Amino acid sequence: MQINKMFKPALLSLFILSGFVHAQTASDVAVLKATGTPELKKVQETQAGSIAEVKAAQDEFKQTFSQMNFTNFAESPVKGIYELHTGGNVIYFTPKSEDRTGVIIFGEMWDSNGVSLTNESKLKAIKGEWKKLPIKSAISIGDKNAPSYYEITDPDCPYCHSYHEWIKDYSNTNPVQRNLIFMLNPGHPEAPAKIEHIICSKDKEQAINDMFEQKPVTLEKCPEAKGIIQQHQDIVKSLGVNGTPSFVFDVNEEPELIVGFNKNKVMEAIIKATEKVKASELTKPDATKKQ
C-alpha cells in the first residue's frame, strides 16, 4: 500500500514517539518500584488516568453502539482512537466531540514502512485463541517432517490456483507441509462440492491437484464433510480473514498472517520456518549415542 510521501515523516514520528513513550513508561515503573522513589506515585497516577480514559471510552461505545458485541477494547497506536475486536476483525472508535457523537471506523492502520498495525493487533488475538480453534480439521499434505503452515484457500479462487502452481513446483526441491483450511465464497457456487471431494478422497493430495488444476473428475461425497467445512468457517471467522489465499505461519509462538499471494513474503516465511526446523533438529539429543 502506497502512502502519500507528504505524510510519511509525520507518520513515522508519530509511531516512533508513541512506541518510545510506552517503552519508557514500562521501564520507569520497573525502576521506580525497585528503588521505592516517590516518583512512583506520579507514574501510577498517570497510568490510572489512562485506564480511566479507556474505561470511559468503552462505556461510551457500549451506549452509542449497544447492539455490537466486541472484545479487547483498548487504546490503538493513535492517540484518541480506540480499537476493539468483533467477529475476528478489528474496528476503531473515536469518542464524541463537540460537533458529533462517537464514530466507528472500518479499515486498516498502516505505518510508513508498509506494516499493517491492524494485522499486528489481529495476530495478538490469534496467538491467544489459535490453540482453541479446530485446526486439526485442516487437510494436510506434503512432508510431515518439513516446515508446516496453514493456507486459507478456495478451489475456485484464481489467485489460489497461481499459488498452488508455484508451491507445487517449489516444494519439489524445498519440502513443506501444507495445511489447507477452506473458505466458502458466495461468488463461487461450485466450490463447496469440490471442497467436499477433497475432504472425502482417500488420496487428498491428488484430489487437491485435480481441483486446483481444474481437472474433470467424478466428485466424491461423504457425511463428515459438512462438519469439517463448518469447522473451517469457524476458523476463518475467528481469524478475521476475508480473502484467499491467506497464510498463517509459526502459529505456536509468534503467528504471522499473510493475506494474499505475495510470493516474496510467502517464500521468506517458508525459509524462516525451514531454518527453525533445522535449528530444532540440531538441539535434539542424539538417540544413537550410548549413555
Side-chain angles (χ1 to χ4, degrees):
M1 179 178 180
Q2 297 295 321
I3 300 176
N4 191 309
K5 292 181 180 180
M6 292 175 58
F7 295 103
K8 282 190 175 183
L11 284 171
L12 184 59
S13 297
L14 173 64
F15 288 115
I16 288 176
L17 179 60
S18 174
F20 176 76
V21 171
H22 176 77
Q24 286 295 304
T25 301
S27 177
D28 288 345
V29 172
V31 172
L32 294 174
K33 283 184 177 179
T35 59
T37 173
E39 294 298 318
L40 174 60
K41 184 177 180 181
K42 292 183 179 180
V43 173
Q44 290 175 329
E45 287 174 349
T46 300
Q47 289 183 333
S50 177
I51 293 171
E53 288 177 3
V54 173
K55 177 66 165 57
Q58 179 174 318
D59 290 343
E60 183 183 329
F61 179 85
K62 288 180 179 179
Q63 293 174 2
T64 310
F65 301 96
S66 58
Q67 301 301 313
M68 185 176 290
N69 296 321
F70 67 91
T71 58
N72 302 327
F73 193 100
E75 291 180 301
S76 81
V78 178
K79 181 68 175 177
I81 299 178
Y82 299 87
E83 67 177 43
L84 54 137
H85 295 244
T86 175
N89 293 303
V90 177
I91 66 173
Y92 300 97
F93 172 69
T94 58
K96 63 183 178 182
S97 59
E98 292 181 359
D99 57 343
R100 64 171 58 87
T101 57
V103 174
I104 55 174
I105 305 168
F106 294 89
E108 289 197 43
M109 285 190 180
W110 297 77
D111 69 9
S112 60
N113 295 315
V115 175
S116 171
L117 303 177
T118 303
N119 265 350
E120 288 188 345
S121 183
K122 285 183 181 180
L123 291 177
K124 290 178 181 178
I126 291 171
K127 184 177 180 181
E129 296 296 322
W130 181 259
K131 291 182 178 181
K132 301 176 185 178
L133 298 176
I135 56 175
K136 290 184 179 180
S137 64
I139 306 302
S140 299
I141 62 172
D143 188 342
K144 293 183 179 180
N145 297 315
S148 176
Y149 60 95
Y150 291 80
E151 306 170 14
I152 294 138
T153 188
D154 171 357
D156 279 349
C157 158
Y159 299 105
C160 300
H161 294 170
S162 298
Y163 160 74
H164 173 79
E165 182 180 353
W166 173 78
I167 193 63
K168 187 177 177 182
D169 180 65
Y170 179 85
S171 61
N172 285 331
T173 52
N174 303 274
V176 295
Q177 183 181 17
R178 300 168 59 188
N179 301 282
L180 281 68
I181 297 167
F182 294 105
M183 174 179 168
L184 296 179
N185 183 337
H188 298 159
E190 297 179 2
K194 296 177 181 179
I195 295 170
E196 182 172 4
H197 171 75
I198 293 170
I199 293 170
C200 301
S201 296
K202 291 183 179 179
D203 189 340
K204 290 180 171 46
E205 185 160 2
Q206 184 61 53
I208 288 168
N209 290 337
D210 289 342
M211 294 300 97
F212 281 81
E213 294 165 20
Q214 299 176 293
K215 295 178 181 178
V217 297
T218 301
L219 298 179
E220 298 283 346
K221 293 181 177 293
C222 59
E224 63 267 26
K226 183 177 179 180
I228 293 174
I229 291 173
Q230 182 56 56
Q231 287 181 315
H232 286 195
Q233 304 324 294
D234 293 341
I235 295 171
V236 170
K237 182 179 179 181
S238 295
L239 297 181
V241 171
N242 53 19
T244 54
S246 292
F247 309 88
V248 183
F249 283 86
D250 207 12
V251 296
N252 291 321
E253 293 183 13
E254 294 296 334
E256 178 184 2
L257 177 65
I258 299 174
V259 178
F261 176 34
N262 183 317
K263 187 184 297 183
N264 291 334
K265 283 188 176 181
V266 172
M267 187 182 297
E268 181 181 352
I270 291 175
I271 291 171
K272 286 182 180 178
T274 302
E275 291 173 348
K276 181 179 177 182
V277 169
K278 289 180 179 178
S280 176
E281 290 176 348
L282 289 174
T283 58
K284 288 181 180 179
D286 189 349
T288 62
K289 288 183 178 180
K290 294 181 180 180
Q291 300 298 323

